[in-house]
Amino acid sequence: MARILEKRSLTPVTKLFRVESPLVAAAARPGQFIIVRVREGGERIPLTIADYDRDNGTLTIVVQEVGTTTGYLGALEVGDDILDLVGPLGMALEIPAGGHIVGIGGGFGAAALLCLMRELSARGDRTTIIIGAREKGLLILVEELADICDDLELCTDDGSAGFKGLVTERLAQLIGGDGPGRPDSVVAIGPMPMMRAVTDTTRDFGIPTLVSLDPLMIDGTGMCGGCRVTVNNEVKFACVDGPFFDAHQVDFEEAVRRNKMYVQQEQASKERAECRSLAMGQD
Amino acid sequence: MPLKRADKTPMSERDAELRSHDFVEVNEGYNFARARFEAERCLRCQDPVCIDGCPVRIPIPDFVHLIAAGDMAGAAKVLRSANPLPAICGRVCPQESQCEEQCSLGTRFVPVAIGYLERFVADWEMGQPAGEAPAQPTRAEKVAIIGSGPAGLVCAGELARLGHPVTIYEGLHAAGGVLRYGIPEFRLPKKVLDWEIEQLKRLGVEIVCNVIVGKTLSMDDLFEKMGYSAVFVGTGAGLPQFMGIPGENLNGVYSANEFLTRVNLMHANDFPNADTPVMVGKRVAVIGAGNTAMDTVRTALRVGAEKAMIVYRRSVAEMTARVEEHHHAIEEGVEFHWLTNPVEILGNKDGWVTGLKCISMELGEPDDSGRARPVPIEGSEFVLPVDNVVLSIGNRPNPLLLQTTKGLKSNKWGCLVVEDESAQTSLRHVFAGGDAVTGAATVILAAGAGKSAAAAIHADLCGE
Ligand SMILES: Cc1cc2nc3c(=O)[nH]c(=O)nc-3n(C[C@H](O)[C@H](O)[C@H](O)COP(=O)(O)OP(=O)(O)OC[C@H]3O[C@@H](n4cnc5c(N)ncnc54)[C@H](O)[C@@H]3O)c2cc1C
Ligand SMILES: Cc1cc2nc3c(=O)[nH]c(=O)nc-3n(C[C@H](O)[C@H](O)[C@H](O)COP(=O)(O)OP(=O)(O)OC[C@H]3O[C@@H](n4cnc5c(N)ncnc54)[C@H](O)[C@@H]3O)c2cc1C
Ligand code: SF4
Ligand code: SF4
Ligand code: FES
């Protein structure tokens, strides 16, 4: 069980939680994730460790409500317990030091850059963060991210903040020498289409790029093989070999297809969950 | 049908058509009359060879005789003195190749149904009111157990009885190992496992779920930060193997571990009341013929497959599943494709499984394992139309703990190396047993290993 100490709404569907989890906080490294289960009969879902505080024994996670379990989680309040929380899982991010590193975040991915980019900045790398959203109000953690990198680049579809356009368009400009300039390596975390577009953008320039793959997972320890992805024509278990992989070697088509395996069931489950919460509301 | 001495007293079983759609236990257990009748078949041999067939050497004629005499409490005591998990082993041991294979009655008749009797006594015991709470720890030396499968559970129980404070760390959110996530409810009801775990808690054993040693805590943490004096590693063999044939990552392909975990641990059979789904089409092919494959194929029927089949490259004679499971699977309508080797999983343009391409095999010369080697018959390829493929071709020990623990040694299959006598690993005060050491084996071997390791740990810590 992990007690929720703080909750913030970052957007209407994105919640930040600070939770008590001293063992995980003590062991966590940037890039790792946890698995949570929020009710009896509930699913186990992976969430990135956005940040950790060893002294206070807390973790920060940011959840985007997309379905049943993220919905249940988003409804929890300060003082509630997360039923099960296990971690830290996966391998920490490893990037050669000394260069200009650009971290790109979409959706909850912006949060995942928090501890990661802070550590890279702290060890002396030059760091740029690019985050994007439809409009200004949906950009998350802008101040926190600005604090931990040399340059923060904002992108919005409608131009309400920063660059008007996609994160990949801004990335292409940087590669061309604009703003903070060409990256030596890129890390992208966010929705699959975004990571795929980043990969395509850096490929021709041979810029080393890592993406954080988010396949469906159950145990997170290498026991089920449900999280398998193909990288460089080899089958990998993302929960133990990843979640970061060399973007230019990832079979995205397969990864996207496998993630959609349960779309129908997810819809049925969400409807059932909504009924449940309606019923609860009526008591 | 009147009961006959020469035959094994039958176990009542639920109707095959009915049970193949639900998860209620297939075997219904003996009643008193049947148990006594069966117990009286035992010859109480001078030289009870049955005991040689039992990995933990239960004094079989003793407990069987006590059943015949109607002394259930006595029978339970004898059983438990040798096997801490009788209700589980009575249900899942491959008796036909262990105790019952040796039974002298078997040379002329059918062996005594030792497994059924063991289960009968243990089930009786579960129905008794709980006695006084046992004594709490008397020793200072704390022991940490990694993994809550049969090896870990038994090791914990034995150490607690010897007076040590014991904590079990389990990576998943529920304890039991394969007994929880692998073996299905219709063969091993979870209430049996829950009862055993309850007994351990009464002994003062602490069970901490959601801790992965090697990730959440390191082996060093256990000794240095947490103050344990010894550690037992019972992490099992949970790493699923794939065949490496084309199509294994298509949608609708599972490892048996994933398929069974979705149903047993996550309750996908109750979706959408439970939140985890499992994808089962009309036709399911399960590759392999061990206990895991048999559990998988029978589970597939229960979660809605119209046709569930076993595909195995060897013949029925080389099948490693328990005979009873094979019989039950036949009764439930499982189809068997022996001497059939899958070569490719076929899919449609959206990436969903549509078929399993196989080649027919014939038996050739014996191989290293002494079993006839299957060889492909050229040009015999054919396609089985299926919607799901579940691979059940074996598991290896999970490398996670090994990779994160300096100095812990394993062999080329990733099995931990231990000293035969003491179960001690290459690290001081670190012991191991069960599937993590032997590779995928049996519940009773894991339980036995947990028990002897407990004795070794106690000796290591107390010099006794
Ligand atoms: C290593 C890893 C780290 C992750 N970190 C985070 C994190 O920090 N914060 C976070 O919010 N999520 C994160 N995710 C994704 C998260 O696990 C899923 O969103 C979650 O499992 C969805 O569960 P659900 O029951 O709410 O929705 P489901 O019912 O499973 O899905 C509902 C709908 O959302 C879609 N969906 C599923 N996964 C995603 C996804 N990743 N992104 C967008 N849509 C999706 C489904 O296709 C479906 O249509 C991570 C995933 C992985 C593998
Ligand atoms: C489907 C199936 C059916 C079977 N049927 C039979 C049968 O009928 N009869 C029979 O005798 N045998 C059967 N077996 C085999 C039997 O279940 C195993 O041999 C036995 O469970 C091994 O016990 P164990 O304690 O060594 O490990 P396991 O039961 O595998 O338990 C290991 C536990 O350790 C946990 N763990 C692993 N690593 C860590 C870590 N680093 N930190 C914390 N926890 C960790 C795992 O989550 C797991 O809970 C079957 C196996 C399967 C898969
Ligand atoms: S534990 Fe297994 S082998 Fe031993 S007597 Fe019982 S059923 Fe037979
Ligand atoms: S060998 Fe068979 S008949 Fe003889 S004591 Fe054992 S169970 Fe009884
Ligand atoms: S989630 Fe089960 S192996 Fe990765």
Side-chain angles (χ1 to χ4, degrees):
Chain A
M1 289 236 245
R3 175 72 40 99
I4 296 173
L5 303 176
E6 183 190 340
K7 176 180 183 182
R8 267 163 66 193
S9 267
L10 303 181
T11 79
V13 295
T14 316
K15 312 272 157 56
L16 175 148
F17 293 98
R18 204 160 51 78
V19 301
E20 202 171 48
S21 186
L23 290 183
V24 181
R29 304 271 298 110
Q32 289 186 299
F33 63 96
I34 55 172
I35 283 186
V36 302
R37 197 175 72 117
V38 290
R39 70 176 197 107
E40 285 306 336
E43 210 169 359
R44 295 168 61 96
I45 66 158
L47 298 169
T48 307
I49 298 172
D51 211 349
Y52 51 86
D53 178 342
R54 296 205 207 287
D55 297 337
N56 291 305
T58 63
L59 298 176
T60 303
I61 52 177
V62 170
V63 185
Q64 197 170 335
E65 294 171 51
V66 295
T68 305
T69 309
T70 47
Y72 283 131
L73 187 54
L76 296 182
E77 298 296 342
V78 171
D80 289 343
D81 289 314
I82 295 178
L83 182 62
D84 293 294
L85 186 158
V86 63
L89 300 167
M91 308 293 267
L93 181 81
E94 277 186 41
I95 282 190
H100 175 208
I101 300 172
V102 174
I104 306 179
F108 71 81
L113 291 172
L114 268 178
C115 63
L116 204 148
M117 297 304 284
R118 184 190 304 118
E119 175 155 305
L120 297 179
S121 299
R123 76 176 190 191
D125 293 338
R126 195 149 72 77
T127 50
T128 300
I129 293 177
I130 310 180
I131 58 172
R134 250 190 356 261
E135 43 127 342
K136 190 176 173 191
L138 297 176
L139 288 168
I140 62 170
L141 301 169
V142 174
E143 283 165 35
E144 289 86 343
L145 289 169
D147 274 352
I148 57 158
C149 62
D150 298 318
D151 290 282
L152 175 65
E153 298 275 335
L154 306 177
C155 306
T156 48
D157 294 356
D158 64 357
S160 52
F163 173 79
K164 180 172 189 296
L166 301 173
V167 288
T168 40
E169 290 166 354
R170 185 61 191 141
L171 173 65
Q173 292 182 341
L174 261 59
I175 294 174
D178 201 31
R182 182 188 165 111
D184 294 310
S185 52
V186 170
V187 190
I189 311 178
M192 214 68 105
M194 180 278 253
M195 293 194 288
R196 203 171 176 174
V198 168
T199 306
D200 290 338
T201 309
T202 58
R203 180 175 281 119
D204 290 343
F205 299 94
I207 300 172
T209 303
L210 292 171
V211 286
S212 172
L213 292 184
D214 60 353
L216 305 175
M217 293 187 179
I218 303 182
D219 57 299
T221 63
M223 182 270 274
C224 75
C227 63
R228 57 198 191 280
V229 291
T230 303
V231 182
N232 203 3
N233 296 317
E234 269 180 66
V235 176
K236 298 279 180 191
F237 289 3
C239 69
V240 284
D241 302 323
F244 291 97
F245 291 102
D246 176 352
H248 299 138
Q249 304 293 343
V250 168
D251 183 342
F252 278 103
E253 205 164 313
E254 178 185 280
V256 168
R257 159 168 64 70
R258 285 183 58 83
N259 261 9
K260 291 197 176 132
M261 192 155 149
Y262 299 96
V263 177
Q264 273 173 5
Q265 283 87 343
E266 282 156 358
Q267 192 52 39
S269 166
K270 197 170 168 195
E271 281 161 18
R272 179 63 62 100
E274 279 159 5
C275 289
R276 256 184 232 126
S277 39
L278 271 181
M280 276 186 340
Q282 280 162 0
D283 293 343
Chain B
M1 197 176 62
L3 302 175
K4 284 207 309 276
R5 291 253 166 236
D7 292 337
K8 172 161 152 177
T9 313
M11 164 77 75
S12 74
E13 291 171 358
R14 296 181 58 245
D15 174 71
E17 167 54 24
L18 201 70
R19 76 184 190 229
S20 64
H21 300 294
D22 68 31
F23 281 81
V24 180
E25 193 174 15
V26 172
N27 285 341
E28 296 183 303
Y30 278 157
N31 56 23
F32 262 105
R34 284 193 186 216
R36 282 178 88 157
F37 192 82
E38 181 64 20
E40 280 163 8
R41 291 179 63 228
C42 171
L43 306 171
R44 302 196 69 197
C45 304
Q46 279 284 346
D47 175 18
V49 281
C50 50
I51 299 180
D52 297 335
C54 171
V56 296
R57 302 194 63 82
I58 294 179
I60 294 167
D62 295 359
F63 93 81
V64 171
H65 174 68
L66 287 164
I67 300 175
D71 179 1
M72 293 304 291
K77 205 164 158 213
V78 170
L79 254 185
R80 283 221 171 246
S81 70
N83 179 6
L85 299 175
I88 294 171
C89 294
R91 285 173 164 85
V92 306
C93 252
Q95 291 96 5
E96 70 273 9
S97 58
Q98 298 187 156
C99 51
E100 294 178 17
E101 182 178 43
Q102 299 295 323
C103 172
S104 354
L105 208 57
T107 50
R108 289 189 53 206
F109 305 116
V110 183
V112 174
I114 301 169
Y116 289 173
L117 290 173
E118 182 173 349
R119 167 187 166 168
F120 176 70
V121 176
D123 284 357
W124 173 87
E125 196 189 8
M126 273 194 288
Q128 300 308 300
E132 250 175 72
Q136 294 300 306
T138 52
R139 294 253 169 206
E141 308 86 2
K142 297 197 294 176
V143 182
I145 311 272
I146 312 176
S148 64
L153 292 176
V154 167
C155 188
E158 295 291 310
L159 284 166
R161 275 184 209 96
L162 291 165
H164 295 279
V166 181
T167 313
I168 301 180
Y169 291 102
E170 167 57 50
L172 292 170
H173 62 260
V178 169
L179 307 177
R180 176 77 58 189
Y181 74 73
I183 304 182
E185 177 80 16
F186 58 81
R187 216 149 64 75
L188 176 64
K190 296 299 163 275
K191 68 171 198 299
V192 174
L193 174 61
D194 290 340
W195 188 84
E196 290 294 355
I197 290 172
E198 215 32 62
Q199 305 315 301
L200 286 186
K201 289 187 178 157
R202 274 167 48 86
L203 278 171
V205 172
E206 187 191 8
I207 303 184
V208 182
C209 289
N210 297 319
V211 170
I212 301 167
V213 180
K215 287 285 179 190
T216 318
L217 290 170
S218 68
M219 186 71 87
D220 286 347
D221 287 340
L222 291 177
F223 287 103
E224 286 157 22
K225 279 200 205 151
M226 326 272 296
Y228 291 101
S229 307
V231 171
F232 174 77
V233 182
T235 48
L239 182 75
Q241 305 289 294
F242 287 83
M243 295 183 75
I245 58 175
E248 277 181 342
N249 283 1
L250 287 167
N251 288 4
V253 181
Y254 288 108
S255 73
N257 278 8
E258 179 180 0
F259 189 83
L260 291 170
T261 301
R262 281 181 178 271
V263 176
N264 297 332
L265 180 69
M266 308 309 297
H267 310 295
N269 54 311
D270 195 25
F271 181 87
N273 291 320
D275 300 333
T276 306
V278 68
M279 185 69 77
V280 180
K282 290 202 169 100
R283 291 152 308 186
V284 179
V286 176
I287 302 175
N291 283 318
T292 309
M294 233 44 86
D295 282 343
T296 306
V297 80
R298 295 173 67 200
T299 298
L301 284 177
R302 285 161 170 82
V303 290
E306 286 170 13
K307 189 162 163 169
M309 43 201 144
I310 288 280
V311 176
Y312 186 47
R313 67 196 176 101
R314 297 176 186 265
S315 75
V316 62
E318 288 87 28
M319 162 189 84
T320 55
R322 296 177 70 225
V323 167
E324 188 175 48
E325 307 324 322
H326 180 218
H327 283 318
H328 284 162
I330 295 172
E331 286 171 6
E332 289 166 13
V334 169
E335 221 175 74
F336 291 85
H337 296 266
W338 305 110
L339 290 169
T340 305
N341 199 25
V343 290
E344 183 179 356
I345 303 170
L346 307 173
N348 62 18
K349 65 173 180 5
D350 297 326
W352 287 88
V353 172
T354 56
L356 183 63
K357 189 170 163 191
C358 303
I359 187 162
S360 297
M361 311 289 278
E362 58 192 353
L363 290 179
E365 296 295 303
D367 62 13
D368 296 346
S369 69
R371 301 188 292 180
R373 183 197 302 275
V375 280
I377 303 173
E378 223 172 289
S380 66
E381 286 92 348
F382 65 101
V383 174
L384 282 172
V386 296
D387 307 299
N388 290 93
V389 174
V390 188
L391 289 116
S392 178
I393 55 163
N395 285 322
R396 289 205 173 165
N398 190 320
L400 202 150
L401 184 69
L402 208 58
Q403 284 162 355
T404 52
T405 309
K406 256 217 304 282
L408 196 56
K409 294 219 171 77
S410 66
N411 66 17
K412 64 175 169 176
W413 295 284
C415 301
L416 295 179
V417 176
V418 297
E419 284 167 34
D420 281 348
E421 290 302 301
S422 65
Q424 170 135 359
T425 65
S426 51
L427 293 177
R428 229 173 108 70
H429 304 310
V430 178
F431 298 75
D435 282 4
V437 169
T438 55
T442 60
V443 173
I444 189 65
L445 284 174
K451 189 173 151 183
S452 46
I457 291 170
H458 183 63
D460 178 50
L461 296 181
C462 308
E464 281 163 25

